[in-house]
Amino acid sequence: MEFLLILSITLLTYSVIIFIINKLNKMRHQNCYLLDYACFKPSDEFKLPTNICGEVIHRNRLLGFDEYKFLLKIIVNSGIGEETYGPRSIFRGEEATSTFDDALLEMDECFEHTISDVLSNSGVKPTDIDILVVNVSMFAPEPSLASRIVNKFKMREDIKIYNLSGMGCSASLISIDLIRRTFMSQFNKLALIFTSESITPNWYSGNNRSMMLANCLFRCGGCAMLLTNDPKRKNQAKLKLKHLIRTDLGANDEAFNCAYETEDELGHTGMCLSKDLPKAAALAFVQNLKTLAPKVLPVTELVRFVMAGLYRRSKGSRGGGSNSVNFKAGIDHFVIHSGGAAVIDGVGKSLRLSEWDLEPARMTLHRFGNTSASSIWYALGYMEAKKRLKKGQRVFMIGFGAGFLGNSCVWIVNRDLKDEGVWKECIDQYPPKTLENPFMKMYGWINDQDI
């Protein structure tokens, strides 16, 4: 009898110890680390200065002075500079007649450079990759781009691949969320993400104003990111993922229809950006922050916000003296999607950010344009090149995409960062004295023409 009792206690103790060890081991492996990332910088021969942009606009025979004036206003206020990049088809004068092979070549050049760079910089071989996620919203060939990467880099047969499309400018954070969730059940894994947008087959050649906006803002670019949950690699990592929040307003018809791919009356395909887009972005932003705020802000700031709100109600205050949460109390750096000057201004106003906080997003827009889901990585690269990111600091990322999607995350800087990446050759020139582009000086005469 005593033997059975001792045996039972021993087995129970052993089971408890094993359970605790497994639980601790699982928690230890559920962290998501960003080992490194590499953004794409095309060849200088594919830069889109003012004169070439003017030639592209002039080639569209459907445009008249009315459309010229509209485009001039948009481009002058866009925040985009002289050194963004366009696809090869533009420089051949074939943006309206680009081929399938042209689109594949654009993607091949981007992923070959970025993936090779991130693997080389991290000391990782292609055969070490366990998970691959690719997100390119508006180009989905068969075999998939993910399979194309596996073939190019000769990755393992048991690699798990995911190919996302249609997720828009917030897709890279969706990819990270997919990796994060996979890491919860798989230990010691290496995951590779490639994010870009295909400009070549999606150039709009019509005269619908809502669809011409995309041509003014979107440029070639992309990024490859390497993530892991292997605790042995944590000291090598640049960032550690702390929180990730996703907001989907797809059930809201107005939000759903504010950004979508369609055909115009003449059959020209393009991305339509409606006047409801800023409203949808603001709604997604607010909903996202409602979930994120309690996770990142100190109790003192949350209490201050609540008490200030109660005080305003007791005084019957309706107008000025707005009461908003001070996100700087819990966040050190803000990485904002460089979707356009209006997007950056809107986020900055909502969060009461300074020009120093907004500088990375503005400079990214000026130097590289809107590179869709990869734009936040160019902005992060700017911060790193400026040596802003110090160990222990918190970095907030926010991106918006068609659907309508608003996704954000918070990273913890794992060590002092100082890589210059794609900013290496120009970081000392930023910020410039002015962000004005030469369009008004060169084409301002259009406003004097009678329609």
Side-chain angles (χ1 to χ4, degrees):
M1 193 71 175
E2 291 183 3
F3 172 76
L4 290 176
L5 179 60
I6 294 173
L7 180 62
S8 299
I9 294 174
T10 301
L11 291 175
L12 180 60
T13 303
Y14 176 77
S15 299
V16 170
I17 292 173
I18 294 298
F19 175 80
I20 293 174
I21 291 175
N22 288 338
K23 195 71 174 178
L24 291 174
N25 192 45
K26 187 176 181 180
M27 291 174 61
R28 183 166 168 257
H29 286 79
Q30 283 187 349
N31 290 319
C32 180
Y33 297 99
L34 177 74
L35 288 179
D36 204 355
Y37 62 99
C39 295
F40 180 49
K41 183 181 178 183
S43 172
D44 286 351
E45 63 184 303
F46 300 120
K47 285 184 177 179
L48 283 174
T50 299
N51 62 312
I52 293 182
C53 290
E55 292 173 7
V56 174
I57 293 172
H58 183 68
R59 284 200 293 263
N60 187 344
R61 298 304 181 186
L62 295 177
L63 305 182
F65 277 109
D66 192 17
E67 288 78 21
Y68 289 161
K69 289 182 177 181
F70 170 74
L71 288 172
L72 179 63
K73 180 181 178 181
I74 295 299
I75 296 174
V76 165
N77 296 313
S78 67
I80 291 181
E82 289 282 276
E83 297 190 317
T84 61
Y85 301 94
R88 290 173 179 266
S89 55
I90 284 181
F91 298 89
R92 298 197 308 261
E94 300 173 353
E95 63 275 1
T97 57
S98 62
T99 66
F100 180 76
D101 286 340
D102 290 332
L104 284 176
L105 179 59
E106 180 190 353
M107 291 293 98
D108 287 346
E109 289 180 334
C110 188
F111 74 64
E112 285 175 12
H113 281 84
T114 56
I115 293 177
S116 295
D117 286 348
V118 77
L119 293 180
S120 175
N121 295 341
S122 305
V124 173
K125 297 178 294 185
T127 51
D128 293 333
I129 302 299
D130 301 293
I131 307 163
L132 170 65
V133 181
V134 174
N135 60 261
V136 177
S137 290
M138 299 180 68
F139 183 53
E142 187 175 353
S144 68
L145 291 174
S147 293
R148 196 172 181 85
I149 291 172
V150 170
N151 176 262
K152 172 63 181 178
F153 289 92
K154 307 305 177 187
M155 295 176 173
R156 299 198 318 261
E157 294 180 356
D158 62 342
I159 188 173
K160 303 298 185 292
I161 66 170
Y162 304 89
N163 202 96
L164 309 181
S165 63
M167 295 292 186
C169 298
S170 66
S172 63
L173 295 186
I174 295 174
S175 298
I176 290 173
D177 186 44
L178 176 59
I179 295 298
R180 177 181 67 96
R181 293 175 182 276
T182 302
F183 281 172
M184 291 180 180
S185 59
Q186 299 184 33
F187 299 160
N188 301 325
K189 299 299 181 181
L190 278 169
L192 178 67
I193 296 175
F194 172 71
T195 179
S196 184
E197 190 51 273
S198 179
I199 307 299
T200 300
N202 294 296
W203 191 267
Y204 177 63
S205 300
N207 60 3
N208 184 305
R209 292 190 177 189
S210 296
M211 299 172 73
M212 288 192 290
L213 288 171
N215 289 357
C216 298
L217 295 173
F218 285 94
R219 296 292 186 266
C220 291
C223 182
M225 296 142 272
L226 189 62
L227 299 99
T228 186
N229 63 344
D230 186 351
K232 295 178 182 178
R233 293 180 179 267
K234 68 177 183 179
N235 293 328
Q236 180 187 353
K238 289 188 172 184
L239 304 173
K240 175 183 175 181
L241 185 63
K242 186 67 175 178
H243 306 288
L244 195 152
I245 307 297
R246 292 171 58 179
T247 302
D248 192 329
L249 300 181
N252 182 316
D253 291 339
E254 191 176 76
F256 179 79
N257 291 306
C258 72
Y260 58 96
E261 187 178 12
T262 186
E263 288 185 346
D264 65 13
E265 297 81 0
L266 299 176
H268 297 289
T269 303
M271 192 70 184
C272 181
L273 306 177
S274 79
K275 60 182 179 181
D276 295 321
L277 181 58
K279 182 179 178 181
L283 180 58
F285 190 47
V286 169
Q287 294 297 328
N288 194 277
L289 293 185
K290 282 183 179 179
T291 304
L292 181 67
K295 299 178 182 293
V296 300
L297 294 177
V299 175
T300 52
E301 173 57 24
L302 295 174
V303 171
R304 183 208 64 78
F305 175 73
V306 172
M307 296 303 293
L310 293 175
Y311 177 78
R312 281 169 54 81
R313 287 186 182 181
S314 68
K315 295 296 183 180
S317 177
R318 296 181 180 180
S322 62
N323 175 42
S324 59
V325 175
N326 176 21
F327 269 85
K328 288 188 177 183
I331 300 294
D332 299 291
H333 302 283
F334 298 83
V335 182
I336 303 166
H337 167 53
S338 301
V343 173
I344 298 171
D345 290 341
V347 173
K349 183 178 180 180
S350 298
L351 296 180
R352 296 188 297 171
L353 302 181
S354 66
E355 276 304 312
W356 187 88
D357 295 317
L358 299 177
E359 181 183 304
R362 291 201 195 281
M363 299 308 108
T364 296
L365 182 63
H366 183 267
R367 177 62 182 83
F368 293 99
N370 180 351
T371 58
S372 191
S374 65
S375 69
I376 53 177
W377 301 99
Y378 286 89
L380 182 70
Y382 181 88
M383 292 180 176
E384 189 172 355
K386 285 291 186 180
K387 299 177 177 57
R388 291 188 178 190
L389 304 177
K390 306 298 181 183
K391 183 177 180 179
Q393 292 182 330
R394 293 190 174 198
V395 180
F396 170 74
M397 280 185 172
I398 181 73
F400 304 100
F404 191 84
L405 308 174
N407 302 314
S408 71
C409 69
V410 175
W411 300 92
I412 305 296
V413 181
N414 206 45
R415 53 186 170 84
D416 292 356
L417 303 180
K418 56 184 179 181
D419 291 346
E420 295 182 334
V422 292
W423 293 93
K424 184 177 182 179
E425 297 177 2
C426 63
I427 191 62
D428 293 336
Q429 303 168 25
Y430 280 90
K433 294 180 180 179
T434 177
L435 294 180
E436 292 181 3
N437 59 42
F439 267 88
M440 184 58 75
K441 183 178 180 180
M442 188 174 294
Y443 299 107
W445 56 268
I446 291 175
N447 288 327
D448 299 325
Q449 301 297 309
D450 293 329
I451 300 173

